[in-house]
Amino acid sequence: MYSLSLQGEINKCLSAAYKNWIISKRNVFTVFELVFWPLISLLSIGLMTRFLGVEGEKVAFLLVGAIGLTILQICQIDVAYVLLFDMWSKSIKNTFVSPVRGYHLVLGALLFGMVRGTFAFTILVVISRILFGFDFLAGGIHTVLIFLAGVFAVSAIIGMIVCISILLFGQKADVAAWSLSGVIMLISGIYYPVSVLPEPLQLMARAVPLTYFLEYYRSAYGFGDHNILTGAVMVAGYMIAGLIALEMTIERARKTGILLRLSE
């Protein structure tokens, strides 16, 4: 009985991943999200380092930020798409008629986002190695895996915030899908250490788990200390809180009728 229940839970999560796959493969803009824009971002940062004469570890500092931001954007939009596509097609009520919970949707979409994010990461590190001499394994494979796990988890948190915003505020909330990652970029030290930020923004940066995972990866290239344990605890807490908040928001949306309004 337990094995059947577990298999059912896994199938529900996989159904969300499959749904995103079916929609994405029909969308030509998926190619731009997965290959074109990530390459443009990487090349622009890499060529800027050549123009400014940036050398050695500082090149790695910037490229880690560029790659991290790209993976974050790809994965978080996949999690957000699990409701965005339904909202745009006026079929959001159909999703919640089926016997799925919020965590099924999030975990399934995250799985698909991790596959896409890993594919993009592989392309970017190969290109950055060839063109800019960036050794992404400087700290060992475990450093890369911990970094990617942190970025994927933060992506899921951002995606859940977008989904919650949609269920609370409707169609006008879809702007959060693209704006939140920009805010995270500003305060988490994507292209600069958080120490250069004003004090209030530094405090905000310490509340963002991505900050700690960036510092952890960059420490392999000689950039200061890190507190990866704080980042791991923080991201786990945010994930649990996000899943609980999403379930509560879904129940509220059912009671207030916003699921029907979003499907009209």
Side-chain angles (χ1 to χ4, degrees):
M1 181 65 70
Y2 178 78
S3 62
L4 290 176
S5 177
L6 178 60
Q7 185 62 50
E9 292 293 295
I10 294 174
N11 288 340
K12 290 176 183 178
C13 292
L14 292 177
S15 67
Y18 183 68
K19 172 185 172 182
N20 273 22
W21 157 248
I22 291 296
I23 296 175
S24 296
K25 74 177 184 178
R26 298 174 181 174
N27 187 352
V28 66
F29 293 105
T30 300
V31 177
F32 286 84
E33 290 178 350
L34 192 58
V35 179
F36 182 78
W37 293 121
L39 283 178
I40 291 296
S41 175
L42 177 71
L43 292 175
S44 62
I45 295 299
L47 293 174
M48 181 186 69
T49 64
R50 293 286 179 85
F51 172 70
L52 297 177
V54 179
E55 297 180 353
E57 288 78 9
K58 291 183 179 180
V59 175
F61 185 98
L62 293 172
L63 292 180
V64 165
I67 293 173
L69 177 61
T70 296
I71 305 308
L72 180 77
Q73 290 175 326
I74 289 174
C75 192
Q76 70 91 15
I77 198 63
D78 276 322
V79 177
Y81 273 160
V82 78
L83 287 188
L84 281 174
F85 281 136
D86 287 340
M87 184 181 69
W88 291 333
S89 62
K90 304 294 184 180
S91 62
I92 199 168
K93 65 180 180 182
N94 298 328
T95 295
F96 294 103
V97 168
S98 59
V100 296
R101 305 291 295 274
Y103 66 88
H104 295 132
L105 301 176
V106 170
L107 295 180
L110 175 60
L111 176 62
F112 182 67
M114 289 171 61
V115 172
R116 293 215 309 157
T118 303
F119 178 77
F121 177 78
T122 303
I123 293 176
L124 293 180
V125 296
V126 170
I127 297 298
S128 61
R129 175 71 174 178
I130 295 173
L131 296 182
F132 309 112
F134 172 61
D135 179 14
F136 76 102
L137 284 176
I141 187 65
H142 68 281
T143 302
V144 176
L145 294 177
I146 292 173
F147 172 69
L148 287 178
V151 174
F152 289 144
V154 174
S155 301
I157 294 167
I158 297 174
M160 282 190 286
I161 294 174
V162 175
C163 292
I164 291 170
S165 300
I166 291 171
L167 294 174
L168 288 176
F169 307 111
Q171 294 189 5
K172 57 187 176 183
D174 62 359
V175 67
W178 290 271
S179 60
L180 280 178
S181 58
V183 175
I184 295 297
M185 178 186 72
L186 174 66
I187 65 175
S188 63
I190 290 289
Y191 296 128
Y192 41 76
V194 296
S195 59
V196 307
L197 295 171
E199 188 66 28
L201 290 182
Q202 288 189 39
L203 294 175
M204 293 176 63
R206 292 304 167 191
V208 178
L210 182 62
T211 303
Y212 300 94
F213 287 95
L214 284 169
E215 290 177 346
Y216 172 72
Y217 197 5
R218 284 167 172 161
S219 68
Y221 300 91
F223 289 99
D225 299 323
H226 64 82
N227 195 344
I228 191 62
L229 181 59
T230 298
V233 172
M234 190 177 294
V235 81
Y238 285 176
M239 281 285 289
I240 294 171
L243 290 170
I244 293 173
L246 180 59
E247 291 293 341
M248 294 173 62
T249 307
I250 292 171
E251 290 303 315
R252 179 185 180 276
R254 285 194 175 105
K255 293 177 181 179
T256 59
I258 194 171
L259 293 180
L260 295 177
R261 292 197 296 272
L262 288 173
S263 302
E264 295 174 351

